[in-house]
Amino acid sequence: LSLDDMRRRAVQEDRQVVASEPLSATKLTRVLSGEGEQGLRVLLVGTDAMAARLFATHLTHDGHRVLCASHGEQALALALDHAPHVLVSEWDLPGLSGLDLVRTLRQSHVGARVHVILLAGRDEERRILEAFENGVDEYLPRPCDALVLQARVRAAQRVVQ
């Protein structure tokens, strides 16, 4: 599937998502340059509802705008429409895996700039090298403490701004 096909498919699915309207081309240009923004746009993918609320609470407290997606295809559509600064994704997602999401995003103009934090179980540490080789910037073991994630996003903010 092409990026546009995956985007259309994800948008058509009826999944819970916290988002606003897609960015226009003009606004996307301003967004990619970081013009007029204080906090980051953070996309959370695949975390359970309770963890997502906890993560979102901590991140919005720091002034970030949080978008949530339940699966990889939906995350891809949101990423292409909203150009997040940081993507926090589970490795194992329904459909498009977290690693496949990163690979696909890295092929786009928007995805080339996103800071990626991958959440994976401790037993998957051997696969982490594969993740870094495919565009992941950071790895955090699951379960992930909300304060640790908040600190990692603050560190990412120093990099992306």
Side-chain angles (χ1 to χ4, degrees), residues 9-70:
R9 189 168 126 199
V11 169
Q12 290 171 355
E13 291 189 18
D14 184 28
R15 303 278 181 153
Q16 179 185 4
V17 62
V18 178
S20 58
E21 292 301 310
L23 299 175
S24 67
T26 305
K27 186 165 183 182
L28 182 59
T29 302
R30 280 192 303 243
V31 163
L32 290 175
S33 70
E35 186 179 312
E37 292 217 0
Q38 305 250 334
L40 301 177
R41 282 178 312 284
V42 179
L43 176 55
L44 297 175
V45 187
T47 58
D48 65 73
M50 222 157 108
R53 278 194 298 276
L54 181 62
F55 293 161
T57 298
H58 283 273
L59 295 173
T60 55
H61 178 71
D62 276 357
H64 305 302
R65 181 170 159 230
V66 178
L67 304 165
C68 297
S70 58

Side-chain angles (χ1 to χ4, degrees), residues 114-125:
V114 68
H115 187 86
V116 178
I117 301 172
L118 186 69
L119 306 176
R122 293 184 190 281
D123 59 332
E124 297 174 304
E125 288 185 2

Side-chain angles (χ1 to χ4, degrees), residues 3 5 27 33 38 76 99 101 107 111 118 131-132 140 155-156:
L3 288 175
D5 290 338
K27 186 165 183 182
S33 70
Q38 305 250 334
L76 180 61
L99 193 55
L101 170 64
Q107 296 173 24
L118 186 69
F132 285 117
L140 287 175

Side-chain angles (χ1 to χ4, degrees), residues 63-107:
H64 305 302
R65 181 170 159 230
V66 178
L67 304 165
C68 297
S70 58
H71 58 87
E73 288 86 359
Q74 185 182 46
L76 180 61
L78 283 172
L80 294 174
D81 286 344
H82 298 281
H85 297 103
V86 178
L87 168 71
V88 179
S89 179
E90 295 279 353
W91 187 307
D92 293 318
L93 298 171
L96 190 67
S97 75
L99 193 55
D100 289 336
L101 170 64
V102 173
R103 285 185 193 122
T104 305
L105 272 176
R106 291 292 189 212
Q107 296 173 24

Side-chain angles (χ1 to χ4, degrees), residues 124-146:
E124 297 174 304
E125 288 185 2
R126 286 190 229 145
R127 296 194 308 168
I128 298 307
L129 181 58
E130 176 188 3
F132 285 117
E133 289 171 349
N134 283 282
V136 169
D137 297 301
E138 295 187 54
Y139 153 76
L140 287 175
R142 290 289 287 155
C144 178
D145 182 89

